[in-house]
Amino acid sequence: MLQDYLIPETVEQALSHLQGGKGRARVVAGGTDLLLDLANGKKEAGVLVDLTRIPGLQEITLEDDLIRLGAAVTHNQVAKSKLIQEKASVLARAARSVGSLQIRNTATVVGNVVNAQPAADAAVALVALGAVAEVVSPSGKEYIPVEKLYAGVGKSVLDSTSQIVTRIQFPALLKNQGSAYERLEQRKALALPMLNVAVVVSLADNRFQWARIVMAPVGPGPVRATEAEAILTGADVSLGNIENAAAAARAQANPRSSALRGSREYRLEVLPVLVRRALEAAVVRAGGNC
Amino acid sequence: MSSKILTFTLNGETIRVVVEPTDMLADVLRDKLNLIGVKKGCGQGECGACTVIMNGDAVTSCIIPALKAEGAVVETIEGIGGPGKYHPLQESFMDLGAIQCGFCTPGMIMSAKALLDKNEQPTREEIREAISGNICRCTGYVKIEKAVSTAAEKIREGK
């Protein structure tokens, strides 16, 4: 049962509130998932420690080609940010597709990662961008790739009763790089993704230097299509290579049949189409042509 | 449980109210401050009936802990106009029949107001995005969309 709601003004204060709670105090930001989980008894907390008023954590910054999002940055802030639209468009698109406008005005992107749902849109895009979380705890600060934060469906490796993700950072895309986001959904708002695919490519002389392809929900967290990425690395930009990569992504995916998200068979048919579309769009944005 | 005093600006007035850490903003507005224009539909942030404007943005007050509103500026349907002096959105909703059962209407109008406060000349897509989190089960969306664009025109002409 919730006994207190605290709004610290510094990260140090937030950490000491957590320590004082001895495992009963828990971090909250937007709270759009957590408050429901508390009401349903899926999670427990005696004290909530709200990070959203800590100065600096509401900002999206660019420094030395590194984009950083504070823990209080909302989905709508990211979706509307010129910087994100220009230098990480995959994330702007993904953030735009979460919930409704009211949810996007409240829910934070860092929360989308920490809540560890397998197909959380912003998290899928962040994995494609190679994002890293800045994690602060009483023992110090560490940087953990977003991709490594998943311990199972809805389970993060992070402990929200002692650790705080203060920021998430990733490199701004360069001129020869492009990104794209594709989503299969039943409606255009308030709909969970049946499938989502985030892609970032880097090109030189109309060849792929590398590609990062992330798909969900086809596993416990966002899944890298590593076979497809390997096919593209060093390969010419061509429709044939993109088709091969899409087929390899399908071979690596393991979706379940779900009443909410569609059957395994259906989604396995659609997945390579989304991967192909995303790769084609990302290539165009990187200045390449098929 | 430690009760706390929440201080915030509500419809232009500074309000102090005793709340519990478990209280959601929608419950405080309805049950403690008697603003029953704030409707509670799903209680999960999905239907939009409880939409209020907090610090300029539309939010679903049923999943906002009341204490999160500390120091915030909150607007509800009661604060934007009423008999004698209706807000252009309220007028257009009535004039164009953009109301059937009326349960979604306060939330719908607050979502629309959050849009028009920032953008007096919204496109059809922008109007649709603004009300996409407000569910009308009488399915009167066409008239609602028209009412919002008509209100936007009125606001522009009024300047």
Side-chain angles (χ1 to χ4, degrees):
Chain A
M1 185 70 169
L2 197 56
Q3 305 288 327
D4 208 353
Y5 192 94
L6 303 172
I7 307 181
E9 280 164 19
T10 64
V11 172
E12 293 68 34
Q13 234 178 50
L15 282 174
S16 84
H17 287 326
L18 291 178
Q19 274 188 295
K22 299 189 172 58
R24 301 264 306 131
R26 194 179 176 100
V27 170
V28 65
T32 51
D33 284 319
L34 179 58
L35 269 298
L36 296 180
D37 287 346
L38 292 177
N40 296 335
K42 278 193 206 154
K43 285 184 180 144
E44 264 288 308
V47 178
L48 291 180
V49 181
D50 185 325
L51 302 181
T52 58
R53 304 283 181 99
I54 297 175
L57 297 193
Q58 302 79 7
E59 284 160 26
I60 303 173
T61 59
L62 171 68
E63 211 177 307
D64 300 331
D65 286 328
L66 201 61
I67 296 176
R68 306 177 86 202
L69 312 173
V73 169
T74 64
H75 284 78
N76 200 34
Q77 245 180 299
V78 164
K80 296 277 151 72
S81 156
K82 284 272 174 297
L83 173 65
I84 303 294
Q85 287 170 1
E86 279 164 23
K87 308 272 187 187
S89 68
V90 63
L91 181 61
R93 279 288 314 280
R96 165 74 177 73
S97 50
V98 169
S100 66
L101 186 60
Q102 293 96 317
I103 298 293
R104 294 195 290 279
N105 281 334
T106 311
T108 63
V109 168
V110 169
N112 198 243
V113 170
V114 177
N115 198 45
Q117 290 301 317
D121 295 275
V124 171
L126 285 169
V127 171
L129 288 163
V132 171
E134 178 185 274
V135 183
V136 177
S137 65
S139 52
K141 193 185 274 188
E142 54 184 322
Y143 291 87
I144 309 176
V146 169
E147 196 180 343
K148 306 280 181 215
L149 291 178
Y150 292 82
V153 174
K155 274 210 180 109
S156 172
V157 303
L158 298 169
D159 175 4
S160 293
T161 66
S162 65
Q163 294 174 299
I164 297 175
V165 177
T166 42
R167 287 180 181 81
I168 281 180
Q169 59 189 46
F170 52 87
L173 297 185
L174 306 173
K175 275 216 165 67
N176 62 317
Q177 299 172 339
S179 65
Y181 190 73
E182 290 289 334
R183 192 181 205 255
L184 179 69
E185 57 200 355
Q186 290 189 331
R187 291 175 295 162
K188 287 184 180 161
L190 281 168
L192 289 173
M194 296 162 73
L195 281 172
N196 48 12
V197 171
V199 158
V200 179
V201 301
S202 187
L203 308 183
D205 304 325
N206 224 36
R207 276 172 181 272
F208 289 100
Q209 290 177 304
W210 51 260
R212 271 198 300 267
I213 302 168
V214 185
M215 47 196 186
V218 297
V223 174
R224 288 272 296 273
T226 50
E227 299 290 325
E229 293 175 1
I231 288 172
L232 293 180
T233 305
D236 288 333
V237 171
S238 72
L239 286 177
N241 285 334
I242 287 176
E243 289 286 359
N244 289 342
R250 173 194 163 129
Q252 219 180 329
N254 188 22
R256 294 180 305 171
S257 285
S258 146
L260 272 177
R261 304 191 198 259
S263 70
R264 170 187 169 85
E265 292 75 13
Y266 173 58
R267 293 194 291 150
L268 279 176
E269 290 301 314
V270 178
L271 180 68
V273 178
L274 297 187
V275 172
R276 174 174 59 73
R277 283 183 194 162
L279 282 169
E280 285 173 0
V283 160
V284 169
R285 286 179 195 139
N289 60 67
C290 299
Chain B
M1 184 147 36
S2 57
S3 301
K4 287 194 164 176
I5 294 180
L6 165 68
T7 307
F8 68 120
T9 305
L10 177 61
N11 295 329
E13 252 183 89
T14 304
I15 297 280
R16 288 160 60 83
V17 56
V18 176
V19 303
E20 308 301 327
T22 46
D23 285 344
M24 293 295 143
L25 183 57
D27 298 321
V28 171
L29 293 171
R30 283 181 60 84
D31 302 340
K32 300 196 170 161
L33 300 169
N34 220 16
L35 298 178
I36 56 173
V38 179
K39 300 300 176 199
K40 215 172 150 187
C42 67
Q44 304 188 358
E46 300 253 332
C47 78
C50 66
T51 300
V52 301
I53 301 179
M54 184 156 117
N55 297 329
D57 292 322
V59 298
T60 39
S61 61
C62 72
I63 52 166
I64 306 260
L67 287 165
K68 219 184 206 328
E70 177 65 33
V73 176
V74 175
E75 280 178 89
T76 70
I77 189 79
E78 288 87 351
I80 72 166
K85 192 173 191 304
Y86 286 108
H87 187 277
L89 276 163
Q90 293 170 314
E91 263 173 18
S92 310
F93 269 65
M94 290 187 287
D95 292 348
L96 297 175
I99 293 178
Q100 289 183 51
C101 84
F103 196 82
C104 74
T105 308
M108 202 64 93
I109 289 182
M110 295 315 285
S111 283
K113 180 170 187 290
L115 170 70
L116 299 188
D117 283 349
K118 290 179 198 152
N119 178 359
E120 287 182 0
Q121 199 147 8
T123 62
R124 199 174 81 148
E125 273 316 302
E126 285 167 335
I127 293 174
R128 289 185 170 194
E129 186 195 1
I131 61 169
S132 62
N134 294 81
I135 293 174
C136 166
R137 286 302 77 165
C138 310
T139 70
Y141 296 109
V142 172
K143 287 182 173 180
I144 291 169
E145 192 185 304
K146 184 86 181 75
V148 176
S149 62
T150 304
E153 275 170 42
K154 278 190 201 167
I155 290 171
R156 292 199 302 273
E157 282 163 12
K159 292 242 152 135

